[in-house]
């Protein structure tokens, strides 16, 4: 995938592209980045890419001419042209997946200062917001888009890791643990030592449902539960250890008997 970024602050991306996953993806040719300085395209005699708003108002506005010329010089008909803006659609995992699957070229315009000349917007395909809060500039928002999209490119990270992550199936990810088994009388669930992979899968799914109900019930608003999930929901409501879990723990006792020593 080729990702082009239009910005007036090119240096902020230097360290970002040196992070482990992105750095490796670039090295392996899975993703190519191009940082374009909007100021390089201005026709202003003072080399400015911004000016005060017509009619008055606070701050500075990014001018349309340098942005549109930079856009035309660095995109094609195949390029998905994205503008980061508070009025855009709220970015989510579904949007990230759609972009990663359907486009080999994307371009992101990073807004800054008090806004962008309104005439710029018609040249872009998609307006995106990363949330209802105020940022200094669109560069920070572009970090979020880039990170979420590039990690979905085949080969960038392990496919199994993507499948199990929060939001990929509209459920919060299940809890995970490391050694020791007992830390300050806080224990790792015995079933995870049982060696019963099917029971562990079922336990993790149950925990995903439980955590989603507790922390992000909004994600379940339009969620369609399958038969297994409905059964697990009943178990959660009853707040009892089901027979399949008891059996897995009993059969796996030999794996955990020495963990607390």
């Amino acid at each position: 995938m080729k990702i082009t970024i239009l910005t007036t602050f090119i240096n902020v991306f230097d360290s970002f592209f040196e992070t482990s996953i992105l750095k490796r993806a670039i090295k392996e040719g899975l993703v190519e980045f191009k940082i374009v300085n909007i100021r390089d395209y201005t026709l202003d005699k003072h080399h400015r890419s911004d000016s005060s708003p017509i009619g008055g108002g606070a701050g500075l506005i990014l001018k349309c001419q340098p942005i549109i010329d930079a856009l035309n010089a660095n995109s094609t008909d195949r390029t998905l042209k994205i503008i980061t803006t508070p009025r855009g659609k709220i970015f989510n995992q579904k949007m990230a997946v759609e972009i990663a699957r359907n486009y080999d070229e994307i371009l992101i315009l990073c807004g800054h200062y008090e806004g962008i000349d309104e005439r710029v917007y018609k040249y872009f395909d998609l307006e995106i917001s990363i949330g209802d809060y105020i940022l200094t500039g669109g560069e920070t928002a572009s970090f979020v888009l880039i990170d979420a999209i590039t990690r979905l490119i085949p080969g960038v990270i392990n496919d199994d890791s993507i499948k199990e992550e929060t939001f990929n199936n509209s459920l919060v990810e299940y809890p995970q643990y490391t050694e020791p088994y007992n830390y300050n009388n806080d224990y790792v669930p015995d079933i995870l030592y049982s060696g019963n992979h099917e029971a562990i899968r079922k336990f993790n799914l149950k925990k995903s449902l439980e955590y989603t109900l507790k922390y992000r019930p909004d994600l379940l608003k339009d969620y369609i539960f399958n038969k297994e999930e409905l059964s697990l929901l009943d178990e959660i409501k009853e707040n009892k250890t089901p027979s399949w879990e008891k059996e897995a723990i009993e059969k796996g006792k030999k794996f955990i008997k020495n963990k607390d020593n």
Side-chain angles (χ1 to χ4, degrees):
M1 175 180 282
K2 179 180 180 181
I3 300 177
T4 301
I5 300 153
L6 305 188
T7 176
T8 53
F9 293 86
I10 59 175
N11 294 331
V12 301
F13 292 91
D14 292 344
S15 59
F16 180 61
F17 293 141
E18 287 297 311
T19 56
S20 58
I21 292 176
L22 281 178
K23 185 176 182 179
R24 186 173 67 250
I26 294 169
K27 184 177 180 180
E28 295 177 1
L30 298 172
V31 60
E32 173 189 349
F33 290 99
K34 183 179 182 181
I35 309 300
V36 176
N37 191 338
I38 296 170
R39 289 188 177 93
D40 290 343
Y41 291 84
T42 184
L43 300 179
D44 184 274
K45 64 180 180 180
H46 301 295
H47 204 64
R48 293 185 60 177
S49 59
D50 55 77
S51 65
S52 300
I54 295 174
L60 299 169
I61 304 296
L62 286 174
K63 300 170 71 173
C64 61
Q65 174 272 313
I67 291 176
I68 295 169
D69 283 358
L71 174 69
N72 290 336
N74 293 280
S75 64
T76 69
D77 291 339
R78 301 186 305 275
T79 306
L80 176 66
K81 305 169 186 68
I82 300 170
I83 185 168
T84 58
T85 169
R87 76 187 194 192
K89 294 181 179 179
I90 297 295
F91 187 65
N92 56 28
Q93 185 67 13
K94 181 180 178 181
M95 200 180 297
V97 170
E98 289 176 350
I99 293 172
R101 283 180 178 174
N102 297 319
Y103 296 93
D104 295 322
E105 298 179 13
I106 66 173
L107 179 146
I108 303 171
L109 169 62
C110 304
H112 215 87
Y113 305 119
E114 290 300 315
I116 300 170
D117 189 308
E118 182 65 26
R119 292 168 292 183
V120 165
Y121 288 87
K122 67 180 73 173
Y123 293 86
F124 285 79
D125 305 306
L126 187 59
E127 298 177 23
I128 291 180
S129 168
I130 63 166
D132 296 333
Y133 41 83
I134 299 171
L135 297 172
T136 302
E139 286 75 20
T140 307
S142 74
F143 291 163
V144 174
L145 303 186
I146 291 166
D147 191 280
I149 293 167
T150 55
R151 65 199 319 281
L152 297 172
I153 298 171
V156 172
I157 63 174
N158 185 281
D159 288 344
D160 290 335
S161 295
I162 294 176
K163 291 176 184 177
E164 294 186 353
E165 288 176 333
T166 296
F167 302 129
N168 270 348
N169 60 353
S170 295
L171 298 178
V172 170
E173 191 173 4
Y174 55 82
Q176 301 189 65
Y177 302 86
T178 60
E179 298 291 352
Y181 168 64
N182 174 12
Y183 182 74
N184 290 342
N185 291 320
D186 196 358
Y187 294 84
V188 175
D190 286 347
I191 194 170
L192 299 180
Y193 290 106
S194 69
N196 186 327
H197 297 296
E198 174 56 22
I200 291 172
R201 180 201 65 79
K202 197 170 183 178
F203 176 81
N204 286 337
L205 175 58
K206 182 178 178 179
K207 283 297 180 180
S208 285
L209 289 164
E210 182 181 333
Y211 275 38
T212 306
L213 284 168
K214 182 177 180 179
Y215 298 108
R216 290 296 305 276
D218 56 296
L219 296 175
L220 300 177
K221 181 180 178 183
D222 299 313
Y223 189 79
I224 300 175
F225 298 95
N226 60 35
K227 186 176 180 180
E228 180 184 36
E229 291 167 340
L230 290 172
S231 177
L232 293 174
L233 284 173
D234 288 337
E235 293 177 7
I236 292 170
K237 292 176 183 177
E238 292 172 2
N239 196 27
K240 295 180 180 179
T241 304
S243 58
W244 61 266
E245 189 174 338
K246 291 178 180 178
E247 291 172 6
I249 293 172
E250 183 63 30
K251 290 180 179 179
K253 271 187 175 180
K254 62 181 179 180
F255 299 111
I256 63 173
K257 63 181 180 180
N258 296 320
K259 287 290 181 182
D260 204 19
N261 297 332

